[in-house]
Each structure stands twice: as structure tokens, then as C-alpha cells.
Amino acid sequence: MVTLEQFIADRQQEFEGATGAFSKILRDIGLGAKLISFYLRRASLSGILGELGLTNIQGETVQKLDHLANNLFLRLLSQNPHVAGVASEEEEHLIATNSQGKYVVLFDPLDGSSNIDVGVPVGTIFSIYKRVSPIGTPCTEADFLQGGRAQLAAGYVLYGTSTLLFYTTGRGVHGFTLEPAAGEFLLTYPQVQMPPRSTYYSFNDNQLHEWVPALQRYVQDLHSRNQATSKPQSLRYVGSLVADFHRNLLKGGIFLYPGTTKKPEGKLRLLYEGYPMAWLTEQAGGKATNGVKPLLDVPPTSIHQRTPLFLGPADEIDRITAFLTENVPVETL
Ligand code: AHG
Ligand code: MN
Ligand code: MN
């Protein structure tokens, strides 16, 4: 029975500096997760479901629990001496906090908001970088725009049938389950590897007609492969990236959120959805791209920039790339 804090303490050397900063930042994220889990599970009893009546920088209506989760993480992280600043899906601009802090944190406080009121799992996504601006000065945008491969840690919380926290620091993906009786996250999924065979495929079918023809051909190819096998891939899509990703991580599955003719850049945000999930995917033995290049190599230009996102086992991701670069696999023709 290993707690999250003990697990991190035993691996201090994995997080540069071994100053205990990472464990303190992850402890705050874990505390936020415990509190959000508590609020979520009784939201319909305490009248905090539904919309707040505001629209955020994404142009989306803000759910009361989006607002609650955002404020919770802002409070927890801004009082952490190791954090120099944060960027949130719910905040238009980055927020400089402790100028003596050495790290910056990006987060999607509540992912899958459309599912909050209907009992479908939602999540939190986080990504941690070491700042590049001088300590003692306010953090700058450059601290947040270092690119996916500069991440020091990344992970998610899934508020599902149980509350799970999965993260990586570049040495594998490790998963923990909240034990409410103890208020502790306990190690339950050490060194997670994504099965190489895809058993699920996840995408929003209502946009298929707006995809590029090459991707439509990939889906046709997937359907015809399904008809030719005794183990067809099943469509599973709940509309929460964290929930769809977590199922595919454990069981093997492909997640697609491409751009469309109307929105070529797609919907999902590169810095606090794409990069963390892409790193977790690679660390678990899968591949993550924007369709044609590794997502972690897609250069960041702004905090809320969007990206097409493909996550899954290497063979399916390679097949998508082949279609998109017109190197269609011969056996498909
Ligand atoms: P968020 O609630 O943080 O805005 O994220 C929602 C995202 C992501 O969780 C999910 O994969 C995607 O939106 C679903 O989008 P569609 O409803 O367009 O399928
Ligand atoms: Mn999200
Ligand atoms: Mn969100």
C-alpha cells in the first residue's frame, strides 16, 4: 500500500532538483482533486450543477463546477511557494503568482464539462514546466510556451467510478486510486502500458462529413477491417477527453479529434489537453500526433491554441499518418 506522496518521495531524483517541490505541487493537485471529487459526487444535492451564466475565453458557457474547480486550483497553486505562475483553460491570461517559484503549471480544471450534469465521468488535466525566466521576476509567457517535450510532469485526474490520478515524469505512467476512507491516493496502476492492439475507437461521428477525405478513407478502412475480423474495434466516445483517453490507455484504443473544414485547427487545446495526453501516450508505448507529426513536436504559439489530436497504439496512428500523407498501406487498396 503505497501512497502518492510516498511514491514520489521514493523517486525524488526523477524530478529534477529533488527539492521536494514536485511532491508539494502534486500534493496540491491531489488535494484539489479530492475536493472536486467530493463536490462533484454531491453536486445535485447542493445545487452546484448547471451553468454559471458566464462565457469563458474559449467562447464556451461556464458550468458552476468549471468555475469552482478553476478557483480551487488557482487558490491551491498560488499559495504554493514553488509555483511561479499558472495558466488555465478558464483564464484568458497567465497568472503570475510567486516570483520565487521555479515551476509553472497549466491545467484544464474540469475536462468534459458537458457531462457534469448527466453523471458521465469528467476529469482534470495538468502539465508542469520549469520556468525559463529569471527567478525573482514575474513569470512570462515564454515559461508556458516551451513545447511539449519540455514538460517536467503531466497527468490527469478522472472523476469516474473511482477517483484516479495518473501522471508521468518521463519514466513511465503511474496510476493511483483515491481511498476515501484514508483521503489518500494509493498506487494501483504502476508502469502502465497501452495494449498495442486497438479495441476501441473514439471520435465524434457528427463531424465525419467535415473531415478531410483522407481521414474519411481511414474510417472506411477501419470499418472494412472490422468486418473482416472476429475481434472488431468497438466505438466508444463519451465526450470527456480524460474518460475516453483513460479507457483507451488501459484497454488499447484510438482517439481522434481532427480538424474540420470549418475548424482546421480542431477543438482541443494544445498546451493543457494535447501535450499532457500526448506525453502520457508516448510514455505508455503509444503514439500521439496532430495527424502528420508527433504532437509533442508541434510548436506552441499561444496559451489557448487548438490542435488536431490523435492518440493511440502505434499501428493505428501510423495508418492515419499514411492516409493523411497519401502513403496508403497497400493491403488497404
Ligand atoms: P472541456 O470540457 O475542458 O472544454 O473539454 C471538452 C473536450 C474534451 O473533453 C472532449 O474530448 C471534447 O471536448 C468533446 O468535444 P465534442 O463534444 O465536440 O465531441
Ligand atoms: Mn478539456
Ligand atoms: Mn475544461
Side-chain angles (χ1 to χ4, degrees), residues 26-305:
L26 213 59
R27 180 196 60 203
D28 285 344
I29 292 172
L31 176 55
K34 292 173 196 172
L35 292 169
I36 292 168
S37 179
F38 171 78
Y39 294 132
L40 269 173
R41 295 182 193 300
R42 50 191 331 278
S44 50
L45 296 166
S46 45
I48 52 175
L49 290 180
E51 296 178 1
L52 191 65
L54 297 174
T55 303
N56 66 11
I57 176 65
Q58 318 288 341
E60 296 162 346
T61 54
V62 178
Q63 302 297 317
K64 289 176 187 170
L65 276 159
D66 277 323
H67 186 68
L68 183 152
N70 186 50
N71 287 343
L72 194 53
F73 283 115
L74 291 179
R75 275 178 57 198
L76 286 165
L77 294 170
S78 57
Q79 70 186 25
N80 186 312
H82 300 289
V83 177
V86 297
S88 165
E89 179 194 63
E90 301 299 334
E91 299 292 331
E92 183 171 1
H93 303 294
L94 68 88
I95 298 173
T97 53
N98 301 290
S99 60
Q100 296 302 325
K102 287 172 58 180
Y103 305 97
V104 295
V105 184
L106 297 98
F107 58 88
D108 176 355
L110 210 62
D111 173 69
S113 306
S114 62
N115 285 318
I116 295 171
D117 291 7
V118 293
V120 171
V122 294
T124 294
I125 309 172
F126 62 89
S127 174
I128 304 173
Y129 294 82
K130 185 173 182 182
R131 71 184 295 184
V132 292
S133 55
I135 292 179
T137 64
C139 65
T140 66
E141 199 161 56
D143 293 318
F144 297 85
L145 300 180
Q146 300 181 51
R149 298 214 184 270
Q151 292 176 99
L152 281 183
Y156 60 83
V157 181
L158 177 64
Y159 309 101
T161 46
S162 58
T163 298
L164 304 173
L165 187 150
F166 277 53
Y167 82 90
T168 185
T169 56
R171 291 167 184 77
V173 175
H174 310 294
F176 300 78
T177 303
L178 179 62
E179 168 47 88
E184 292 277 8
F185 281 102
L186 302 181
L187 179 66
T188 40
Y189 300 85
Q191 286 294 353
V192 178
Q193 284 294 294
M194 179 185 282
R197 188 182 168 283
S198 180
T199 51
Y200 295 120
Y201 62 103
S202 309
F203 64 82
N204 189 333
D205 186 75
N206 80 351
Q207 296 169 3
L208 191 57
H209 65 286
E210 294 173 11
W211 290 7
V212 296
L215 265 182
Q216 292 174 342
R217 282 197 296 278
Y218 164 76
V219 173
Q220 287 158 9
D221 166 66
L222 190 153
H223 287 158
S224 58
R225 283 185 285 136
N226 268 355
Q227 288 155 27
T229 173
S230 58
K231 293 183 179 177
Q233 295 183 56
S234 295
L235 175 59
R236 289 283 190 285
Y237 188 77
V238 296
S240 292
L241 169 60
V242 171
D244 281 319
F245 176 81
H246 181 74
R247 178 198 55 243
N248 293 355
L249 172 68
L250 295 190
K251 299 295 184 187
I254 180 93
F255 177 92
L256 303 87
Y257 206 113
T260 61
T261 43
K262 290 178 194 157
K263 294 183 178 175
E265 76 286 355
K267 171 184 183 182
L268 299 176
R269 280 60 53 139
L270 178 64
L271 269 61
Y272 42 80
E273 291 174 315
Y275 281 159
M277 301 318 251
W279 196 23
L280 288 161
T281 302
E282 288 194 358
Q283 283 290 308
K287 279 192 174 180
T289 72
N290 65 353
V292 293
K293 70 187 285 189
L295 197 90
L296 292 175
D297 296 333
V298 173
T301 53
S302 67
I303 284 179
H304 297 298
Q305 89 185 71

